[in-house]
Amino acid sequence: LYRELVPPAFERLFPEAGLPGEVAACPAGLAAMSVVVRSELARRSLGCFDHLVLGLDAVLHEPAAALDTVAGFLGVAPDDGPLRFLQRRRSASRGGTFSSFRDPVEVVLRWRHHLDARQLSSVEQVLRAVAWRDPHRWRLAEPHDAAVDHALC
C-alpha cells in the first residue's frame, strides 16, 4: 500500500522532480519520498495557526539562542534547564543504538552509516530533486565537511 500511495503523492506535489522509477523501487528512496511528502503537506498547513519554524542547525549549533526563541514564541521566560539537559546529553552516553547522546555531527550524519551506496543515492536524488523549493530545508551534510572529517577520525 505504501509503495502504491507515496510515489503518486510525490509526483503530484513535485511534478518537476522527474525522478527515475528505480528511486521509488528502493526502500530508502521510497522512505525519503514519504518524508518529503509529509513535510510538504505540513508546510502547506502552517498558515492555519501560529507557528515557529526552527531549524535543526539552530538547535545543534546555537542551542541557547534556539531555546530562547522557543520560550519567546511560547510567551514564557527562558529557563536554563533545557540548555543544561542538552549539554548533559552531549557529554555522556549510555551506549547503544538508542542512547540519548547527541553529538551534533552524529545527529546530522548517523543515518548515512546504515545505508549502502544505492540507498544513499536514492535518498540524495529525492532530496536534491526538491531542494530548489527551499534550499535550507533539505541541506545535505556532505561527508567531506571538515567538522565531519574530524568527528569520524
Side-chain angles (χ1 to χ4, degrees), residues 55-67 82-94 99-108:
L56 178 60
D57 283 347
V59 176
L60 292 176
H61 301 293
E62 298 180 36
L67 292 169
L83 183 59
R84 283 196 321 271
F85 173 82
L86 287 176
Q87 290 168 337
R88 261 195 324 271
R89 292 300 176 237
R90 287 184 179 178
S91 64
S93 174
R94 293 178 290 169
S99 171
S100 59
F101 177 67
R102 298 293 182 255
D103 174 68
V105 173
E106 284 285 309
V107 168
V108 174

Side-chain angles (χ1 to χ4, degrees), residues 5-143:
L5 296 175
V6 172
F10 183 89
E11 178 63 30
R12 279 192 303 276
L13 292 170
F14 304 99
E16 67 289 332
L19 290 175
E22 63 264 13
V23 171
C26 175
L30 184 63
M33 291 171 78
S34 175
V35 168
V36 168
V37 165
R38 286 180 281 133
S39 179
E40 180 63 15
L41 293 173
R43 186 191 65 77
R44 290 179 180 194
S45 68
L46 285 178
C48 298
F49 50 90
D50 291 338
H51 65 279
L52 170 68
V53 176
L54 186 63
L56 178 60
D57 283 347
V59 176
L60 292 176
H61 301 293
E62 298 180 36
L67 292 169
D68 285 350
T69 299
V70 171
F73 175 75
L74 296 174
V76 298
D79 184 88
D80 64 344
L83 183 59
R84 283 196 321 271
F85 173 82
L86 287 176
Q87 290 168 337
R88 261 195 324 271
R89 292 300 176 237
R90 287 184 179 178
S91 64
S93 174
R94 293 178 290 169
T97 302
F98 301 105
S99 171
S100 59
F101 177 67
R102 298 293 182 255
D103 174 68
V105 173
E106 284 285 309
V107 168
V108 174
L109 295 179
R110 177 120 184 163
W111 63 274
R112 290 175 168 271
H113 301 288
H114 301 285
L115 303 179
D116 62 30
R118 177 177 170 253
Q119 293 168 324
L120 274 173
S121 174
S122 292
V123 170
E124 290 176 348
Q125 285 180 67
V126 170
L127 298 181
R128 290 188 201 294
V130 300
W132 68 270
R133 286 181 168 240
D134 185 347
H136 301 289
R137 185 172 355 133
W138 300 114
R139 184 185 148 273
L140 290 176
E142 298 297 336

